[in-house]
Amino acid sequence: MPLKRIVKNTSKSTSPKASSSGKTPVSRTRRPAAQTHDPTSEEALLALAPAYAAGPDIPVSVAERELTSLARLAHAHAARLARIGITSNQVALLARFARRLGALEKAWQKARGAVQLTSAQRRLRDEAEALDAKLVAGGRWGCRNDPAAQAELSRIAEGSGLADTIQDLRDLVDFWSDHESALGVTDITSKDLNRAKALADALEDAAANEASDASAAHALELRNRAFWAADELAREIREGGRYAFRDQPKIAARFVSRYRTSLRRRSREKAKPIEPVTTSAPSPELTAEA
């Protein structure tokens, strides 16, 4: 009887059972990671309410320094702040806002510098800014013992841009008209004050060009929005810090804006009526209060 030749079947089975027994990896489509919302981004800043586009109420350079200082202070006391609801993410965001504000201020200054002004207008602008600084510095010295005058100078010095410089010059002319007696201890002359008026008038057209430039206007709006968004967050952290350390006044006092505190103090002193000096002894109540 002839031997039967046995041929081994090497073909793959097509049955569902056989194919399912293999460990063929299943390719999976990876979903893109969700983007984290960044409150400091241009998109987020432009989405804020129109009120955020208002000009800052303190110099941006001062705000940037205070935000950075507050972020460091809050980071150092993160554990205690966390117990009252101020998170580490908020503190980190404040530090980002400080850096973002500084970058946007530089961008605004660059865009402002690119505004098409004539060479004559640029020279007048530079002269106006220098004269602005001279009139303010003279007031700081000549009226150094007058808190009300110092508060007024701080108000005048706020803001940036050519339109602000023009307004500063006009306000400073009025300021020195009210404090003419202090001019004698400064190097400010009547010629300077007359020149301030002339420069303010001569630069009106240049200020209109700056305000109408799209790039400069956009840069300024972003800077302003970042300022107020950062200020809003800073206020919450400051209030939280004062609450968390209400039993430690020295630490709580560090959670304030020194610049704004100084302005408020000067404003209160400005509002106080001037009382005649008497030689009588102070009352016990006033002594105790002091």
Side-chain angles (χ1 to χ4, degrees), residues 177-191:
S177 177
D178 294 337
H179 300 86
E180 190 174 0
S181 60
L183 283 172
V185 296
T186 73
D187 58 0
I188 298 171
T189 65
S190 58
K191 183 179 179 181

Side-chain angles (χ1 to χ4, degrees), residues 137-150 153 182 185-186 266:
R140 292 296 189 193
W141 167 251
C143 303
R144 60 192 180 279
N145 296 320
D146 184 343
Q150 295 300 314
L153 288 170
V185 296
T186 73
R266 290 169 179 170

Side-chain angles (χ1 to χ4, degrees), residues 197-212:
K197 295 178 185 177
L199 285 170
D201 292 337
L203 286 168
E204 284 288 357
D205 289 342
N209 289 342
E210 184 177 274
S212 63

Side-chain angles (χ1 to χ4, degrees), residues 43-284:
E43 181 182 5
L45 292 175
L46 292 176
L48 294 171
Y52 285 82
D57 65 338
I58 68 175
V60 173
S61 58
V62 173
E64 182 185 356
R65 289 195 300 270
E66 287 198 346
L67 291 172
T68 300
S69 178
L70 177 61
R72 290 173 180 167
L73 175 65
H75 179 73
H77 297 286
R80 189 154 182 174
L81 291 175
R83 292 201 292 270
I84 57 114
I86 301 297
T87 68
S88 59
N89 287 339
Q90 287 175 291
V91 176
L93 177 59
L94 184 68
R96 288 210 311 278
F97 260 123
R99 294 190 294 270
R100 178 69 163 147
L101 181 60
L104 289 174
E105 170 67 11
K106 290 179 181 178
W108 145 238
Q109 293 295 344
K110 183 178 179 180
R112 178 194 174 199
V115 174
Q116 297 301 315
L117 301 178
T118 66
S119 58
Q121 287 175 327
R122 290 181 185 278
R123 285 195 299 271
L124 290 176
R125 183 187 65 186
D126 293 343
E127 182 186 354
E129 290 177 348
L131 184 55
D132 184 354
K134 178 181 180 179
L135 296 179
V136 170
R140 292 296 189 193
W141 167 251
C143 303
R144 60 192 180 279
N145 296 320
D146 184 343
Q150 295 300 314
E152 180 66 9
L153 288 170
S154 295
R155 182 197 64 76
I156 293 172
E158 294 166 3
S160 59
L162 186 52
D164 286 312
T165 300
I166 291 172
Q167 188 60 50
D168 286 355
L169 292 178
R170 289 178 173 149
D171 289 345
L172 286 165
V173 169
D174 292 339
F175 174 88
W176 282 113
S177 177
D178 294 337
H179 300 86
E180 190 174 0
S181 60
L183 283 172
V185 296
T186 73
D187 58 0
I188 298 171
T189 65
S190 58
K191 183 179 179 181
D192 290 325
L193 298 176
N194 290 333
R195 184 57 178 164
K197 295 178 185 177
L199 285 170
D201 292 337
L203 286 168
E204 284 288 357
D205 289 342
N209 289 342
E210 184 177 274
S212 63
D213 184 87
S215 297
H218 181 70
L220 180 60
E221 182 179 6
L222 280 178
R223 193 280 308 268
N224 291 352
R225 287 173 173 271
F227 173 90
W228 288 113
D231 185 71
E232 189 174 63
L233 177 59
R235 286 177 186 274
E236 182 174 0
I237 293 177
R238 290 188 193 283
E239 291 176 9
R242 291 194 294 272
Y243 171 71
F245 291 97
R246 62 192 183 280
D247 58 339
Q248 298 181 47
K250 288 185 177 180
I251 298 180
R254 296 175 63 190
F255 283 90
V256 299
S257 166
R258 291 185 177 182
Y259 188 91
R260 285 200 176 100
T261 299
S262 177
L263 286 183
R264 284 195 294 269
R265 183 172 62 250
R266 290 169 179 170
S267 296
R268 287 196 298 269
E269 291 172 349
K270 180 179 180 180
K272 289 181 181 178
I274 300 176
E275 297 179 357
V277 179
T278 61
T279 56
S280 60
S283 67

